[in-house]
Amino acid sequence: MSKAKQLREAIYAPEILVQPGVFDGFSTRLVEHMGYKSAFITGSGVSETRLGQVDVGIMGMEENVAAVRNIAACSDLALLADGDTGYGNAINAYHTVRAFERAGAAGIMLEDQVWPKRCGHMRGKEVIPQDEMVQKLRAACEARTDKDFVIKSRTDTLATHGLDEVIKRLNAYAEAGADLLFADALLDAEQIRTVAGNVPKPLCVNMGFGIRQRSTTPLLSAAQLQDLGVAVVIYPRLLTACALAGMKKGLEILAQSLTSGKPEDRPDAAVSFEELNEIMGMGEINRLEQSFLTDAQKAAKYGRDAVGPVGAEAAHG
């Protein structure tokens, strides 16, 4: 089964689909290691980690596609990518879909903001006319080579036009061929319930940090969202925010050591070397070495005891 088919079936499954936000090899490997089968490639996370730039449209298509290609290459996750606005008009959106599909994504999100866009939970958003977005989505649907490749349409019109416009647009986007619908920055549970009950296709909601309240969409559990009629929940800011918190803590501990002149051994604040290698796929490297290196190569790497089938302890040196 293709990754696109896996993603499509997960969207329509009875249980809500939970997609952590991934943005690089570390986060992608970790999400897969923790048992998830699907993830959302967060455009904000890619912009912040690759460029060190806030999510206001500074990152272009080629940088985004390159990140998706690397992320897809290091995991078996069914990945839904963030295609921003499609980087132009309907023709650009057509080629954007082609590029992301070739890069290994199982689906793509396209939004109706004006370019340069910005994070959906920031002030100052602007949107394009509905009919222009409809044409982008029609082009996007025609562009895909795998009929199961998921087209997710996002509207940011709550802040600019109100809830009725959100529902009107999502219905138009569904009619244009979008498979998954997304209204960003809804303000309360009742708005989520209202949108979910008035659109003809599965609805996605953004829970941002996932474990920390924001000033926009309230913090709700996946179970609560499912009860409201939501099919998919994404957590695009969870791992980036947790990574920053962890790195900040590590630097604070290092500063304590620099001040005191004494070492700080804090296994609670950092994974071990062995766990890091495990998550990053060292087991697969060991398996490949056992299968394909010659006896002479194994002996050179691990000693004569490693000649023939290499045991796990020998492979680890």
Side-chain angles (χ1 to χ4, degrees), residues 73-118:
C74 76
S75 85
D76 287 323
L77 295 171
L79 298 163
L80 203 160
D82 184 351
D84 290 325
T85 66
Y87 305 103
N89 62 21
I91 311 308
N92 298 95
Y94 180 99
H95 287 285
T96 296
V97 169
R98 284 286 172 95
F100 277 80
E101 188 175 2
R102 285 194 297 265
I108 189 172
M109 179 177 78
L110 297 173
E111 63 196 67
D112 59 9
Q113 281 197 55
V114 169
W115 184 262
K117 55 74 54 90
R118 58 181 48 210

Side-chain angles (χ1 to χ4, degrees), residues 2 6 11 15 19 30 40 53 72 87 102 187 205 217 219 228 247:
S2 72
Q6 291 176 36
I11 290 168
E15 294 294 319
Q19 290 188 314
L30 179 60
F40 175 67
Q53 297 288 352
Y87 305 103
R102 285 194 297 265
L187 297 178
V205 166
T217 309
L219 185 62
L228 293 172
M247 289 187 284

